[in-house]
Amino acid sequence: MGQKVNPLGIRLGIVRDWTSRWYAGKKQFPMHVHTDFRVREFLKEKLAEASVSRILIERAAKKVNITIQTARPGIVIGKKGEDIEKLRQETAALLGMSVNDVRLNIAEIRKPELDSQLVADSIAQQIEKRVMFRRAMKRAVMSTMRSGALGVKVRVSGRLNGSEIARTEWYREGRIPLHTFRADIDYGLSEANTTYGVIGVKVWIFKGEVFDKRELAQQQAAEAEGAAPPAAPLAAAAPAAPAAPAQAAPTAPETPAQA
C-alpha cells in the first residue's frame, strides 16, 4: 500500500481536504473537473517563477474563489496589484465568467522547506541546472529536517547523470509511516526536463500525527491567512517528538497483529 497508493488521495477526509470544493450534478460535473484542471495548468504556467505549491478552487453559487498557495506572494501580486488583476481577468475568461464573479486569494507559505511540492520543484530545477543529483537530494533532506519535519524521503528516477540505463536512487531521514492514516504526510511530484530525458522527483514529508482534524483545519487556516500565530502550533508540535517512545510501546504489538 505504501508504494502503490497516492499518499494524499488515500488520506482525503481523514487528515486532508480536497483541493476542489464544490457540488455539481451529473451533467456539470465533468465540465467542472476539466475546467479546474485547465485553470490549474494555466496558473502554474503563468506563475512558474513564483514557487506555487497548491491551487485550491471553491465554487459557491455562481462565484469562484481560487486560493494560490505560494512562497513568493510578491511575484504573484506584482507592483500595486497589477499582475494579480491581469491574472484574474485571464482566469475569468478561461472559466467563461465575469471578472466580478472570480476571486483570487494569495496565501503565503511561511516555511517552503516543509512543503513537499516546493522541495520537489527545487530539486528538479537544480538537476536541470546540472547540479549533482545526490548533492541536491542531501541538501533538501537536511534543510527539511532542520525546519522541524519528523521525517523526509526523496526519490529520483531516470537517466541520472546521463547514464545509459535508467535507475532509481533515494535518501531518507527520520520516519515516514505511509500505512498510518492519521499521519500528516505531504507528498510532491516534479519532473526535471534534461537533455538526456525526463528525471522524476518524488518527496514525502512527515509532519506528525493528527488526532483531531478540526485542529489541523484551524492550523492550515491560520497559515493561509499569513498571521503570526502559526508559529505556535509548530512550537507545540516540537515537544511531541520526545513523547514518541512512550507511544511506541502500544503500537509495537499492533504490527504482528496486522501482518
Side-chain angles (χ1 to χ4, degrees), residues 25 29 58 64 69 91-92 189 197 202 241 247 252:
F29 193 91
E58 287 185 47
V64 176
Q69 295 182 356
T91 307
L189 168 65
K202 291 182 179 181
Q247 293 178 356

Side-chain angles (χ1 to χ4, degrees), residues 7 12 19 36 81 87 155 221:
L12 284 176
T19 51
D36 285 5
L87 201 65
R155 189 167 78 186

Side-chain angles (χ1 to χ4, degrees), residues 12-60:
L12 284 176
I14 303 171
V15 296
R16 188 167 284 275
D17 207 352
W18 283 257
T19 51
S20 291
R21 283 183 283 185
W22 41 262
Y23 176 81
K26 287 183 179 179
K27 291 182 179 178
Q28 289 83 20
F29 193 91
M31 186 177 67
H32 283 353
V33 170
H34 183 60
T35 308
D36 285 5
F37 172 76
R38 286 176 59 200
V39 166
R40 285 196 176 93
E41 290 295 306
F42 167 75
L43 290 175
K44 282 180 180 177
E45 187 180 338
K46 279 280 182 181
L47 305 171
E49 303 293 323
S51 298
V52 174
S53 167
R54 218 166 264 110
I55 297 170
L56 310 178
I57 300 175
E58 287 185 47
R59 296 174 189 264

Side-chain angles (χ1 to χ4, degrees), residues 31-245:
M31 186 177 67
H32 283 353
V33 170
H34 183 60
T35 308
D36 285 5
F37 172 76
R38 286 176 59 200
V39 166
R40 285 196 176 93
E41 290 295 306
F42 167 75
L43 290 175
K44 282 180 180 177
E45 187 180 338
K46 279 280 182 181
L47 305 171
E49 303 293 323
S51 298
V52 174
S53 167
R54 218 166 264 110
I55 297 170
L56 310 178
I57 300 175
E58 287 185 47
R59 296 174 189 264
K62 294 183 178 179
K63 296 190 176 182
V64 176
N65 292 331
I66 300 173
T67 304
I68 301 171
Q69 295 182 356
T70 172
R72 300 176 182 173
I75 296 176
V76 181
I77 297 168
K79 289 183 180 178
K80 298 180 181 177
E82 291 176 1
D83 292 355
I84 194 168
E85 192 58 38
K86 186 181 176 184
L87 201 65
R88 185 181 167 201
Q89 292 172 1
E90 292 174 343
T91 307
L94 192 64
L95 289 164
M97 303 172 70
S98 68
V99 181
N100 296 329
D101 293 337
V102 177
R103 187 178 174 189
L104 284 182
N105 305 315
I106 308 300
E108 183 183 1
I109 297 173
R110 293 299 185 91
K111 289 193 173 184
E113 297 87 2
L114 289 176
D115 192 290
S116 60
Q117 186 60 49
L118 296 183
V119 173
D121 289 342
S122 170
I123 295 171
Q125 288 170 12
Q126 290 180 63
I127 292 173
E128 286 177 354
K129 292 174 183 174
R130 298 178 181 272
V131 175
M132 295 292 290
F133 71 92
R134 286 194 187 92
R135 186 182 301 169
M137 290 166 68
K138 285 179 181 176
R139 194 182 299 163
V141 168
M142 285 173 61
S143 64
T144 301
M145 292 300 290
R146 205 180 294 127
S147 298
L150 298 181
V152 58
K153 179 181 174 184
V154 179
R155 189 167 78 186
V156 294
S157 303
R159 293 182 60 187
L160 304 175
N161 285 342
S163 62
E164 285 291 322
I165 300 174
R167 67 183 193 277
T168 300
E169 291 204 16
W170 56 275
Y171 285 102
R172 185 181 64 200
E173 197 167 328
R175 63 192 196 97
I176 307 288
L178 294 176
H179 291 234
T180 308
F181 285 165
R182 65 170 177 256
D184 182 16
I185 292 181
D186 198 11
Y187 170 72
L189 168 65
S190 188
E191 292 180 348
N193 296 302
T194 65
T195 53
Y196 40 80
V198 176
I199 290 179
V201 182
K202 291 182 179 181
V203 177
W204 295 260
I205 296 176
F206 175 48
K207 301 177 183 177
E209 294 187 359
V210 179
F211 294 96
D212 188 359
K213 192 183 173 186
R214 199 175 303 165
E215 287 181 11
L216 181 67
Q218 290 173 356
Q219 182 179 338
Q220 288 175 346
E223 288 176 359
E225 288 170 8
L234 289 171

